[in-house]
Amino acid sequence: MASRRLLPIAAIFLSLLVFASNTNSNNSVEAYCPVVICPGFGNDSIDYDTPLQQPSDVGLKSVLTRRGFDSSQIYTVPVKRSDWVRVAGGLFDVPDFYLGTAKPTGFGYGWYVRRLKEIVDLAYEESGGEKVMLIGHSAGGWLARAALGDGSWSEDNSNNKDDDGESAGEKEVIRTSDRVRCLVTIGSIHMVPEQESTCVTRGALKYTDANYPGAFLKNEGIGYVSVDGELLISEVDDLYKRRGEGNANRVAFSSYKAVAGNGNGNLIGDGVVPLPWTQLEGSKQIVLQNVLHSINEAGTTQPTDRWYGSENVVDRWLPAVLEEANINNKKKRGEIAAFDLDGLQQWASNLVRR
């Protein structure tokens, strides 16, 4: 009889312990560093906050916040879906666009690279000088590489003034490694197609890979991680048939052909980008099984919880990123000493079962 009276008390106590453990897991670390998310081609900044009109706790920003990042220091390059029409501005890159020698700083993609660098500078300044982690999704990955450039981030003349406030001598060069801690690419394209003339970037991707190959600035202390997906399309198609939706195999074939110049059945990938094209040479490479490229099931507008940035997937790559970025899991200053929370939870669980 006594054990029955203890049951509701134990249940309440267990609930409080679970709540406490969740609270501690969210707040037991200092903010790792500022983060800048670089949207992929066709994506909107909102896709990483409230994807497909889902609640904000589903978005990548919230997923990262629950793992110790400060939500006020998670930024996304400001991009609207309609902004991608500006890629057509590459037509004005004469003759580079037509010769396939366009540059990532040209009319087609220069607007994106500039915004990315501006938001990195903002994140750096608002954090009080903390180096930034870049997470580049899809095309955002190679565009982030273009922004990192040859290692010269910008020129600063503010510390080179004479007594009258005029410029005095040479400008100070700010290194990229002074601003950026690590680049993580998820489902990103890092190589041109087998037939270079078919590359839709008209040379911008080739220029980036040729001039800043692989983990180009790794020797300057910038970490590189490339996260890739390996998806069994046949299993996805079975799911689609049951739901009466799309055709993942058709989408993958078309996308793989556009990216690689080859859409044959021998290629594997995340349903949009074939695996070999996502593996950046010199980076820490992580291949994930049964992970989708984006926030929606390929060929549909159906949200998915199996894309790189979802709650169910992020822990399969984030720990390696923290290691590559040389980030330590530091306890907050002044935090109360930890106690055996796991033991107490186990005790309460046993009591409830009895």
Side-chain angles (χ1 to χ4, degrees):
M1 195 72 174
S3 62
R4 289 183 179 178
R5 286 196 297 270
L6 284 172
L7 183 59
I9 298 174
I12 294 171
F13 185 59
L14 178 59
S15 299
L16 290 173
L17 284 174
V18 171
F19 174 79
S21 70
N22 288 337
T23 302
N24 284 339
S25 66
N26 289 342
N27 297 314
S28 63
V29 295
E30 293 177 343
Y32 291 123
C33 64
V35 174
V36 170
I37 301 170
C38 311
F41 187 88
N43 283 111
D44 190 297
S45 303
I46 201 171
D47 295 340
Y48 307 90
D49 188 8
T50 53
L52 297 176
Q53 299 181 335
Q54 296 180 95
S56 61
D57 62 357
V58 175
L60 177 57
K61 181 175 179 179
S62 291
V63 170
L64 293 174
T65 299
R66 287 193 290 274
R67 283 155 179 81
F69 291 88
D70 185 340
S71 62
S72 68
Q73 292 185 13
I74 301 176
Y75 304 77
T76 305
V77 178
V79 176
K80 297 293 184 184
R81 237 174 287 282
S82 58
D83 286 337
W84 292 103
V85 175
R86 302 180 64 169
V87 172
L91 291 167
F92 297 101
D93 278 332
V94 180
D96 287 339
F97 179 86
Y98 302 94
L99 295 176
T101 56
K103 296 178 177 60
T105 52
F107 287 110
Y109 296 97
W111 60 274
Y112 188 107
V113 172
R114 287 190 296 274
R115 289 187 193 179
L116 192 158
K117 298 188 75 166
E118 288 169 0
I119 204 73
V120 167
D121 284 335
L122 177 65
Y124 176 83
E125 292 167 6
E126 291 190 343
S127 67
E130 290 285 338
K131 294 182 183 179
V132 175
M133 177 190 294
L134 295 177
I135 301 179
H137 174 223
S138 195
W142 75 261
L143 285 165
R145 287 174 60 202
L148 298 185
D150 64 359
S152 300
W153 182 257
S154 63
E155 293 183 336
D156 182 8
N157 206 29
S158 60
N159 295 324
N160 293 285
K161 304 284 188 180
D162 59 23
D163 294 337
D164 297 323
E166 298 295 328
S167 176
E170 296 181 358
K171 295 179 180 179
E172 179 184 355
V173 176
I174 297 174
R175 301 297 296 172
T176 302
S177 55
D178 294 332
R179 289 288 186 269
V180 177
R181 172 186 297 275
C182 184
L183 169 61
V184 188
T185 65
I186 50 179
S188 297
I189 307 166
H190 291 302
M191 299 189 302
V192 297
E194 293 175 354
Q195 298 178 13
E196 294 180 6
S197 61
T198 65
C199 182
V200 296
T201 71
R202 303 304 300 158
L205 173 56
K206 180 181 178 180
Y207 180 93
T208 301
D209 199 38
N211 287 273
Y212 324 123
F216 188 65
L217 298 175
K218 191 170 185 177
N219 290 338
E220 294 195 23
I222 295 179
Y224 288 81
V225 181
S226 54
V227 186
D228 327 305
E230 194 173 57
L231 184 68
L232 296 176
I233 299 297
S234 58
E235 293 183 2
V236 179
D237 265 341
D238 289 342
L239 174 64
Y240 283 9
K241 286 178 183 177
R242 291 197 298 271
R243 295 196 310 211
E245 297 172 335
N247 185 302
N249 195 38
R250 187 185 309 121
V251 172
F253 180 90
S254 300
S255 184
Y256 290 175
K257 186 174 182 179
V259 172
N262 178 2
N264 66 47
N266 296 325
L267 289 175
I268 56 173
D270 60 13
V272 174
V273 180
L275 184 61
W277 271 256
T278 60
Q279 296 179 311
L280 182 64
E281 185 176 354
S283 70
K284 182 186 289 291
Q285 298 175 358
I286 302 173
V287 179
L288 306 178
Q289 302 295 316
N290 297 320
V291 171
L292 298 179
H293 180 80
S294 199
I295 61 173
N296 59 292
E297 300 272 358
T300 77
T301 56
Q302 181 74 25
T304 179
D305 61 0
R306 296 184 297 155
W307 88 282
Y308 296 104
S310 64
E311 182 74 30
N312 296 334
V313 176
V314 73
D315 289 325
R316 294 163 63 185
W317 56 265
L318 185 58
V321 168
L322 298 180
E323 180 181 354
E324 183 71 7
N326 195 28
I327 294 174
N328 296 318
N329 190 7
K330 299 178 294 184
K331 291 290 182 182
K332 276 189 173 181
R333 290 183 292 273
E335 184 185 32
I336 297 174
F339 59 98
D340 186 11
L341 183 59
D342 291 339
L344 285 173
Q345 287 179 322
Q346 186 62 48
W347 172 83
S349 297
N350 291 339
L351 183 60
V352 170
R353 283 198 293 270
R354 287 199 299 269

